[in-house]
Amino acid sequence: MAADLILEEEEENILYDLLINTEWPAETDTQVRGLKEYSSSLVAKAVTGPFRFILHYLWYSPSSSSLPPGLVHLAAKQINWQLVLASNGKLLAVVQDQCVEIRSARDDFGSVIGKCQVPKDPSPQWRKVAWSHDCTLLAYTDSTGTVRVFDLMGSELFVIPPAVSFPGDFSYAAAGLIFLEYTASAQWSAELLVITYGGQLKSYLVSMGTNQGFQESHTFSFSTHYFNGVTAAIYHPGHRLLLVGGCESSDSKASRATRCGITAWRVLSGSPHYKQVTSYEDDVSASQRRGLFRMPSFRLFSRQNNEQDGVFRMSISPDCSMLAVIHFSGMLSLWDIPSLKQRSSWMQEEQPGYEEINPEWKTSLEKRKKIKDKEQYQCLMDVGWWSDQALILARCSGSLTVSSVRSLSNLLGKSCEWFEPSPRVTSAHDGGFLSLECEIKLAHKRSRVESSGAAEDDDGEEDSDSDEECSAKARYFGYVKQGLYYVTEMERFAPPRKRPRTVTKNYRLVSLRSTTPEELYHRKIDNEEYGEALSLAHVYGLDSDLVYQRQWRKSSVSIASIQDYLSKIKKRSWVLHECIERVPENVDAAKELLEYGLKGTDLEALIAIGNGEDGGRFILPGDVDIDDSSYEDFQSMEEEMERKKEREAKKRQELLTKVDFSKLTLEQKELCRSRLKLLCYLDRLATYEEILGGPHAAEQRYDSEFFKKFRNQNIVVSARTYARESNVQALDILFTYHGSELLQHRLAILCNFPETTSPHEYTALLPEACKDERSDLVFIPWNEQRHRDLDWCEDPQCRAVVESSMVDDHHFLYEQQPELERFCTRIPSISLLTDWYLSRAQEIEHNSRQVDCALSLVRLGKEREIPGLELLCDDLVTMETLVYEACELSLSLKELQQLRDIDKLRLLMKNSNEACYVKNVLQWMVPFLHRCEGQREGAAVALLREYLVSLAREDLTLPLKIFQHSKPGCQQKIIADPDELMSVALECIYSCERDDQLALSYDILECLPQRGYGVVEVLEKHGLQKPIAFIRSSQSSKEEAHQLMVKLTRHTGRKIPPVSDSVWRDLLQDLLDMQTNVYTCLEPATCHEVFVESLLCSGREENVKLAGQLMQRSAVSQDVPVSAAFRGKATPRVAYGHSVELVLASAREYFNSSATLTDPCINLARSCLQLITDCPPLIQEELDLISALSRLEHFGVKVLPLQVRLRDDRLSLIKECISQCPNAYKQSTLLLELARLLRVAGDDEARRKGQVLTLLAEQALHCHDYKASYIHCQDLMAAGYSEGWDVCSQLGQCETYTRLSSRQELMAFALTHCPPANIQNLLAASSSLQTQILYQAVNYKIDPSQAKGVGDDTDQATVGVSGGSLGGAQPTALLQRTTARTMEVLTNTTLTTKAVLTAVSDSHWWKESLNYLRPLHGQGSGSNRGGEAEENVEMERQGCSPFYEELLEDPYINPVSSSALSCFSSFLSGLLLRTLYSSYDYIPQESFAEVLLRTGKLAETKSQGQQVFPATEGSTCSLATY
C-alpha cells in the first residue's frame, strides 16, 4: 500500500513554466535544392585518389558510405546548433554556426560570458562539444574530426588535428567527446577521449595555464566489436565505465544489451586501457565464435542492402543507476547500470503520443505538407533525465514530454509541450532543463513579373519536397539523363538547377522549470499571461486580486477597465486608494472611477465594517431586485425614478438608524474620510467640466494633469489663480458651486484681478444691492447651487467625529494686503460695499494709472445700487477728461481731489486754443458743470460766472465765443437760461479792464436774446408765420399754445419732400425751447405727445418707427434702441397710457381713411398698432379688425373698412359671406375665425359659435347637403346652443333626409329647446317620425324581404324588433294570433289615452313637464324630493317615468313582484319619453305586440281620436307582459 502511494506521488503531474531565456537574431540561409545528399559521381570519387577509393570501397572500416543509414537519417534531421550543459549546471555551451557561446546560470543564461570562434562547418549536425569535469575546459570537434579546446573566456588553447580526413567522410567525426579526471600527474589537467564514428578511440592529455598543450596518451579501436562503427559513447564516472553504442548484433547467443548494440568498457589505468565488461555467458559464446583467423569484412558495394537498428542517443540517470537509449527505429529502452540488464523498452508504436501532430501545422500553409509525411516526424531525437523516475523526450515533430519511466505517461499534463521540430534538450538541473529550438520560415518568393529572363529558372520554382508525381516515362528519362551526367559530366546532361531557397532561422533557448503555484502565479502575472494566472489562482486558491491589480495598473482607466478589472478586486483599501489617487485620462472615466469608489463607501459597507462582516472586502450596495417589483413600477420612466428615489431614501434612513456616529471604529472613520474625499473630487470634477464648457466640451479639453492638481488644491488658491488669470467664467462657476468656502472671501478674491483688466469683463462677479419691501438697500446674495444633494457623511454629526478641527487655511489671501481682512464676510453691509468699491477704484488708479478701469468699476457699482459713489465717479470722469483728452498725464487722482472746483475747471480749459475752445467747452466744461450742479445746487452757474468773469478781466475773446454759442438760434446752447445769459454777459462786460475790448462788448450784446422774437423765428424757420402779437396773446392760453404746436408739427409732417430725422430732432428741440421760454403753461410731456402724434399721423413708415423710439411701448419699461437723431440726449418717452391712446387714434384714422385692403393706409395702421409690444386688448381688437378684411375679401364681400367698423351687427357680415359663397358651409373653420376677428357676439364665444354654425347648417340644408347640415347640427347640439333648435327641427322634418334615427335625434333636441308655443307642432312631427320608424318595424316583421331597402337608413328600432322574442319565425302567423287581443286592449284604453293626451295638450302643462324632465339644465326636482332623487343616483334600480313618480309611494320596481303599474309605466313612458328623448342610437328590443300597440296609438293620437284603434283596457298589461 505504501509503495502504491509512493508511485502515485512520483507520478504526480509537474507544475512547470516555460521561459524564453534567449532569442537570437534571425539568420538568413540559402538552401540548394535538387541535389541528393551523399550522391556523388563515381568518376569524381575515382579522381580523389586510389587511396580514398580503396579505403572507401575495399577496406572494412566504416566510412561515410558505411555509416548506418539510420544514424545518417536521424543526424540529418537534427538542427545545426547544439547545447551542452556543464555537470554542475552553472555553465552552458551553445554551438552556433561559427562560434560557441558560453553562458552562465547567474542570469538564467541570458548573457554571454565567453565566445569561442570556430570555422563554419558544412555538416554542423556531426559536431560535438564536451565540458571538463571541473568545468574549466571546453572541447569542440567538427565533422572532420578536428578538436579545439577553449577556456571559459573563449580563448582557444590548442587544436588537435585528425590523423586523416576526407571531405564528406563522417567516419572521422566524433561519436563521443569525453573528459576524464586525470590525477596521475599534476602537469595535465584532464584526459580527453575522442571516439570517432569509425570506432577509433584516441586519448589526449591536456593542460591549461602556462604549460597549456596536449599529448596523445593512447589509442584504442572498437572495430572488432562494432563492424559498422560506433554511433554513441558516454562515460559513467561512478563505475568508470565507458558505455558504447553501435548497430545491433545478429548473434542470438549474445546478451540482450550486446544484441542491441550496447556494451560497457571499464577504463583501466594501463594497457590495454579498456576492457569490456561481460558476463560469463558472453565469455563462453565469444570463445566459441573466435577462431584462429578472422576474415576481413569485404562489403564492396553491398554494405547498405540490409539496414540495421542501432543506438542513436544515450543518457545516464542522475543517480547513475539507469541508462536511457534511443534507437534508430525509434525504440526507447532502459537499462540498469552496470549490469546492462534491460529494465523496459517501448517500440515507437508503443510510446504514448508518438502520432501527435503540432496543431499549428494545420493552420500554416508552409507546414501543412508535413502532415502527409508525419511518419518521418514521429521518431525520438533527444533524451534527458528529469529525475531518477522521469525522462525528458524530444521528438522530431517538436513534441516534448516529461515521461514516467514506468509507463511513459506525460507528467506535464494532458498534452505535450510543442516546440519547433527536432529540439535539443539537456538533463534537468535545479528543477528545470534547457531546450534549444530553431524556427525556420521560408522567405517570400520573388514575383515572376520582376524578370522575364528568369522564365527558365521559374520552371523549377516548385518546392523540392513537392508531392506531385510525374509520369513513369519522365522518371525513366530523368534517370538515364542523370546516369549519363555521372559518367560523362557533360553540362548537356546536367539535371535542371533550381533556384536556391532562402529561409530565415530563429534560434531560441527555452527553459522548462518546475515551480510552486505561487512562483508560477507571480511569473504568469509578470509575463502578462493573465488568463493562465487566473486559472492557477482558481485551482490553487490563490489571491486573484493580484491579477486584476496588475491588469488595472497596466490598462488605461475607462468604464470597461473598471468593470473588467477594478470591480473584481476584493481588497477595499487597495480599491479605495486607486479610486482616490489615480486620475484617468478622460473625463468620463474619471467620473466613473469616483462614482465606483462611492458605491463601496456607502452605508452598507460602513455597517458591515462595524459588524465585523467585511473581511477587508470592497462591499458594493445591493441592487434592486426586479423580480420583486410589480409591472406597474415600470409604466413610466419618471414614476420609476421617483419610486427608486423614494426606496433609496427610505432604505438610507433605515440604515442610518443602525449607525451610531459617536462610536465609529478607526476603520469606519477611515471609510468616511475616503468617502468625503471622493465626494470632494467628484464635485471638483463637475466644476472642472463646467469650467471647460460642459460635458461635450470637457471630452475634448480635459487635462488629467491639471485636474490632478486642481482637485487637491485649496479652492481659495484656485479662485485666486483664476482671478489673476482674469478667467471670469471659471470664477463664476467656483462662486456658484463652492460658495460655502469662497463667498466670504469674495471681495478679497476680486481684488486679485489685474488692474489692467476692465471691470466690465467681470461685471457678473461684482457685488450688488437692491431695495427690499421697506425700500431699504440690502445686499443681494450670490445664487449658489450644488452639484448634488447632501450626502450622509457630510452631516455635521458625522463630520465632527471623522474630521479633526479644520485649520483655516485662507490666511495667505491677506498676508500681502492685511487691509482686506475687513472685507472678509459672507454678507457684507451696504457701507462695507461702498468702502470696497471706493478703495478698489482708487487702488486700480494708483497701481495702473488706468483711469478708465477705475471709472468703469465705480459706474458698475452705481448701476448695482451701491450708494456713496457719486463724488468719486465725478472726480474720475474729470480725471479721465484731463488724462485722455487734456493730456495732463502727471496728475493723479489724489492730487485732483485736493483741488477746488474752479481750479479743476481752469485746469480743464488751460490747454484749449481758440480754434477748439467751443468744442472743448461743450465736451469738457459743460459736463463738468453739470457734475458740480449735481453735487451742489447752483454750483454750475456760480462756477461758470466766476470762470467767465475771471477770463473777461483780461480778454473778452473767449467769453464772446461762449455767448455766441448761447444765442437763441443755436442748436446746442452753452448757457440755456436767457436771464442767466444776460446777467453773466453784462457782468463780463463790466469786469473787463481793457480799453480795446469795446467791439467785443457790442458783439456780446448782440448775442443776448429778445423775448418773443425766438418763437416767431422758430415758426418762420419751419414755414409757419405768426405775428409777435399772436405770441404775446397766446402765451398764457393753454389751448392756443397746444393748437399752435399741433399746427406746427402737422405742417412739418405734410412737407414734400419729407423732412429728415435731423429736422424732426430740431423741431422737437424747438418745441421744448418754446415751452421753456414762452409757453410755460404747457407741460414738457405735452410737447412730446404732440410731437409723437404728428409723427404717427405723418403717413410715412419711417416716421412711425421714429415715433416708436419716443414712446414707452409696453407696460414694463424697456430700453428701446434710439435713433441717431436723438442719441446723446436724455430724451423722455411718452407714458405707456398716452402711447396706447396715440397709437389707437392714429391707427383708427388710417383704417377709416383707407378704401380697400390694399390701401397703404392699412399697412400704416398695422405699423402703428405693432409699436405697442405687449398688445393690450384694444390694440389686439384693432389688429383683428385689419386681419378680418382679408377674410372678407376671400369670401367676395366688397365693403369699405370704415363700414366694417361702423357695422353694429357684425353677424350680418358673416351672412353676406355665406350668401356670396355657395360652398361657405364647407369652410366652417374660416368663418368661425372671421367671426372671432369681427368680435361677433362680443366676447361670448359659445354664442358666436352657435350663431355661425346655425347659419352654416341652414345654408347646407338649403343646398340639400343633409350630411353637412347634420354635422353642423351635431356641433350645435354638442355645444348646447338652444337657439339652434329651429334649424334642427327643419332638418328633422325634412322628408328627403332618409336617416330617421338622425332626424329623431334632431327632433328630440328641437323639442327640448324650442319655445312653449312650438311644442305641439314639433310633438306632432315627432310622433309622425316615430310612426314611420314603427311602420318600418312592423313591415319588417311581416315581410323582411319587402322591408329591406326601404329608405337609406334602416332604423335601429327595426333591428331591435327583428332581434326580439319572435326570433324571425313566421311573423304573419304571429300577427294573426295576436291581432284580436291587441284590438281588444287598444279599444279599452282608447278613452284613457285620449283623456291623457287632451289633458296634456295645454302648452303650460307641457312647459312645466319638460322643465321637470330636463336634468341637463340643472333644474332640481324640488326640496321635498331631494332624498328620493339620491336614492337612485347610480341608476341601479328600475322605476317608472319621472312624470308618474308623484302618484306612487315607491316609484321603483320591486324585484320580486310586478304589477299593472309596470305595464302602465312602460306604455306611457315609452310613448312620451321615447318621443321626446330619442337621441340615443340604441333602442331596446321590443316584441311585435308592443310595436303594433305603439303604432296604433300613435296613429290615434295623430288623428286626435278620430280614428280609434280598438283595444281593451285589460289587455294592455297582458300585451305588455307578452
Side-chain angles (χ1 to χ4, degrees), residues 235 281 298 442 571 850 855 861 945-946 965 1381 1461:
Y235 179 69
E281 291 77 11
F298 293 95
L442 290 176
K571 191 174 182 181
Q850 293 192 0
L855 179 59
R945 181 186 295 273
E946 182 179 0
H965 285 78
R1381 183 63 176 168
L1461 177 62

Side-chain angles (χ1 to χ4, degrees), residues 304-440:
Q304 300 176 357
N305 293 335
N306 187 14
E307 186 173 327
Q308 294 176 315
D309 196 4
V311 175
F312 176 66
R313 187 85 72 230
M314 294 189 297
S315 178
I316 300 176
S317 63
D319 61 353
C320 300
S321 63
M322 282 190 292
L323 174 68
V325 180
I326 297 176
H327 299 266
F328 299 158
S329 62
M331 182 179 71
L332 175 67
S333 59
L334 293 178
W335 308 84
D336 290 333
I337 299 178
S339 65
L340 290 183
K341 179 181 179 181
Q342 185 175 6
R343 174 172 293 193
S344 58
S345 65
W346 297 269
M347 299 301 294
Q348 179 173 296
E349 295 77 8
E350 298 173 352
Q351 299 167 11
Y354 80 100
E355 290 181 336
E356 292 185 8
I357 299 299
N358 194 334
E360 294 183 359
W361 290 6
K362 300 177 182 180
T363 59
S364 174
L365 294 177
E366 297 178 1
K367 300 178 180 179
R368 191 177 299 173
K369 64 181 117 180
K370 296 182 180 180
I371 300 177
K372 299 179 181 180
D373 299 332
K374 61 181 181 179
E375 292 80 6
Q376 301 180 10
Y377 299 94
Q378 294 175 358
C379 56
L380 289 171
M381 295 300 297
D382 206 349
V383 63
W385 287 88
W386 174 265
S387 65
D388 295 334
Q389 300 297 326
L391 290 170
I392 304 170
L393 301 178
R395 298 185 182 275
C396 183
S397 61
S399 169
L400 190 145
T401 60
V402 176
S403 302
S404 169
V405 296
R406 294 193 309 110
S407 60
L408 289 189
S409 60
N410 187 11
L411 302 183
L412 297 182
K414 295 181 180 180
S415 63
C416 60
E417 278 294 334
W418 288 104
F419 289 77
E420 293 299 322
S422 303
R424 293 182 183 264
V425 297
T426 66
S427 293
H429 197 281
D430 293 336
F433 65 90
L434 299 175
S435 174
L436 181 67
E437 63 174 349
C438 176
E439 181 181 6
I440 300 176

Side-chain angles (χ1 to χ4, degrees), residues 48-87:
T48 56
F51 178 78
R52 179 179 178 186
F53 182 81
I54 294 172
L55 184 64
H56 279 209
Y57 290 94
L58 297 179
W59 192 246
Y60 57 86
S61 299
S63 65
S64 63
S65 301
S66 62
L67 289 181
L71 174 65
V72 176
H73 179 70
L74 292 178
K77 292 183 178 181
Q78 297 182 118
I79 60 175
N80 294 346
W81 289 16
Q82 301 179 29
L83 78 165
V84 178
L85 187 66
S87 59

Side-chain angles (χ1 to χ4, degrees), residues 836-1072:
W836 183 83
Y837 273 100
L838 293 175
S839 61
R840 179 58 180 165
Q842 293 173 356
E843 182 183 7
I844 291 174
E845 191 279 332
H846 179 268
N847 293 339
S848 65
R849 289 300 182 94
Q850 293 192 0
V851 185
D852 55 341
C853 293
L855 179 59
S856 297
L857 180 64
V858 175
R859 285 175 174 170
L860 291 172
K862 291 177 66 178
E863 292 177 3
R864 280 150 182 74
E865 302 292 339
I866 306 299
L869 303 180
E870 291 77 9
L871 184 59
L872 180 60
C873 181
D874 293 344
D875 290 341
L876 287 174
V877 172
T878 304
M879 185 75 181
E880 182 183 34
T881 306
L882 287 170
V883 172
Y884 297 124
E885 299 184 25
C887 298
E888 289 291 337
L889 302 179
S890 61
L891 186 67
S892 64
L893 177 62
K894 187 175 182 180
E895 294 172 350
L896 178 68
Q897 290 174 338
Q898 295 175 356
L899 297 176
R900 297 180 304 155
D901 290 343
I902 187 62
D903 296 331
K904 296 176 185 177
L905 180 58
R906 289 170 181 161
L907 190 61
L908 275 173
M909 305 305 297
K910 181 180 69 173
N911 297 327
S912 299
N913 51 28
E914 292 187 19
C916 302
Y917 190 77
V918 175
K919 183 186 73 172
N920 293 342
V921 166
L922 294 174
Q923 293 181 356
W924 301 348
M925 186 173 70
V926 171
F928 175 75
L929 294 176
H930 289 168
R931 293 193 294 271
C932 293
E933 185 69 19
Q935 298 174 9
R936 187 175 66 257
E937 187 176 359
V941 176
L943 284 174
L944 181 61
R945 181 186 295 273
E946 182 179 0
Y947 174 69
L948 291 178
V949 169
S950 63
L951 289 179
R953 291 192 182 100
E954 298 179 359
D955 193 357
L956 290 175
T957 303
L958 297 180
L960 175 60
K961 290 182 175 294
I962 293 177
F963 295 140
Q964 287 177 346
H965 285 78
S966 301
K967 295 190 297 184
C970 293
Q971 295 180 356
Q972 190 175 5
K973 299 178 182 179
I974 299 175
I975 304 176
D977 189 1
D979 296 335
E980 184 66 27
L981 176 62
M982 289 188 290
S983 174
V984 174
L986 292 176
E987 187 174 355
C988 289
I989 293 173
Y990 294 148
S991 300
C992 184
E993 300 175 356
R994 294 175 56 177
D995 54 1
D996 57 347
Q997 302 283 314
L998 184 60
L1000 298 177
S1001 300
Y1002 284 121
D1003 293 339
I1004 292 174
L1005 292 176
E1006 290 293 332
C1007 300
L1008 301 182
Q1010 300 295 327
R1011 292 192 178 275
Y1013 294 163
V1015 177
V1016 175
E1017 292 175 355
V1018 169
L1019 296 175
E1020 184 177 3
K1021 179 178 69 173
H1022 292 286
L1024 189 64
Q1025 297 181 354
K1026 293 290 183 179
I1028 297 178
F1030 173 79
I1031 303 301
R1032 180 177 295 178
S1033 61
S1034 62
Q1035 184 175 3
S1036 58
S1037 175
K1038 183 181 294 187
E1039 291 77 9
E1040 292 184 359
H1042 186 270
Q1043 292 177 2
L1044 176 62
M1045 291 189 175
V1046 170
K1047 191 173 183 179
L1048 177 59
T1049 53
R1050 293 296 178 95
H1051 177 74
T1052 304
R1054 287 192 296 268
K1055 286 184 178 180
I1056 298 176
V1059 298
S1060 61
D1061 291 352
S1062 60
V1063 176
W1064 283 107
R1065 179 195 62 187
D1066 297 341
L1067 177 61
L1068 177 59
Q1069 187 62 41
D1070 291 339
L1071 291 178
L1072 295 175

